[in-house]
Amino acid sequence: MRNRIYVNLENILASLDRNIFGGFAEHMARCVYEGIYDPTSPLADENGLRPDVLDAIRRLRMPLIRYPGGNFVSGYNWRDGVGPRDQRPARLDLAWHNVEPNTFGTNEFIQFCRLVDTEPFLVVNCGDGDMREARDWVEYCNGTADTALTRLRRQHNFAQPHNVRYWGIGNEVDGPWQIGYKTPQEYARAFTEFGKLMKWVDPSIKLVASGISHWEGAVLERIRLLIEQASDLLDYIDIHWYFGNRANDFAAFMTVSEIIEERLSGIEGMIRGVKLDRGIQRDISIAVGEWNVIYRTDETQGIEEIYNLEDALVIAMHFNAFIRHARSVRMANIAQIVNMIAPIRTHPNGLVLQTIFHPFDLYSAHCGSAALDVFWTGDTFSGGDYTGVRVLDVAGTLNEATRELALFVVNRSQHDTAETEIQLAAGALTGSVELYTVNGADIKTENTFSATDEVGVRHTTLPASGRTLSLGFEPHSVTVLVSKVQ
Ligand code: AHR
């Protein structure tokens, strides 16, 4: 037995915030138009939404969805997207070099959120937009006083406030590609002033600052200035990344877990360090506001990635990292939800659940209320810049109400089953162990419009009792193991 997973049910790291299962929808190519909103489709309902897409999104149980961008938001004026559709202006979208028709906007997005049981998370334009637009958007959405903006919302048939709780200020402001790129100093000032006014309009909102997406310098300075200048306004610092396997090197791709670990523990340390230095008590969490795999496509091709099994393993490793960092990672938003770099791809007659849909679905379904500090040892491998990386990537949660243990195990071996013993420090597994395995013929297997189920989930059970369980994890697989514990 070369691998061992040690579980102590009392080693609780933190409560797990279900907001790690968030999504992101941007006005970009086929995400909003055709993906979410497609009034010309024979499959669409009376609001132009496709029930098959809504059902697939509901299955992922996303607690919140970030909108409307992304790079798009840095040139967006929310007023263009409200009111009678035939009076809305078409505008040039300089982020994606497109014409934005504005036939889908704030109210349509919020209605869509209600239909898929999710909270809207709106990002204000801190690129070419100003703080007046930002505070007005908060007032339009959440205001209750009798003002021009709340009357405008009522005129648009929304008598009740939308109560949008999560608000981001700007997107990837640290990237030179962004409309309205900002230096660390400029952004800390902008965040402070935007945030102050937005909270004066509605003190109950949570604010998300644009943190790091360009991991090439000034990381510490950005975090430091934000916390020093705006700690009383700041609820989350938003960080973004995308990974890829351009070199077609499976072992190297499987070590992205190490980069995620370095980045999360680095940002955690920076937040803690600045708070310690300045005597700040307030909780400031990490939001991983965009994350996924992108490398095959680019803007000119619409960034519609077709995902394979190895990408699904990378998605699972992200969730494992978010669980292991549950104390600080309190939100994450997979980018995106439909068509663009997404778990769901539509075509005129239906949709396909991409490989990455399945780990998302399983983690979201089985994650418990508390993140456990699980320890594991075993076989190792080398890839990219890393050596001695454990073949298994593991995380665990406990559902404190139902006393259900969930273990999440990625076997990163391309060819070998990982024979493993799971040991509880105390207590026992009871009843049967439910195993849900995501796998396919090989690491390059994809789900496509013509072959939709090449990678899926297999459900099996094992009898369980006592403190140990021996089993083998299949090569290139993600397994979620669920068992009652006493
Ligand atoms: O999700 C696609 C794009 O990637 C987003 O617009 C931007 O924020 C990121 O660079």
Side-chain angles (χ1 to χ4, degrees), residues 24 26 28 70-72 96 171-172 177 240 242 290 294 335-336 341:
F24 167 48
E26 176 165 11
M28 178 188 178
N71 297 341
F72 171 78
W96 301 116
N171 176 70
E172 298 189 354
W177 58 86
H240 296 178
Y242 293 94
E290 289 183 31
I294 307 183
Q336 299 186 9
I341 41 174

Side-chain angles (χ1 to χ4, degrees), residues 174-192:
D174 63 330
W177 58 86
Q178 202 65 214
I179 299 173
Y181 158 83
K182 289 183 174 48
T183 65
Q185 291 77 4
E186 286 167 345
Y187 182 64
R189 287 295 305 129
F191 176 83
T192 309

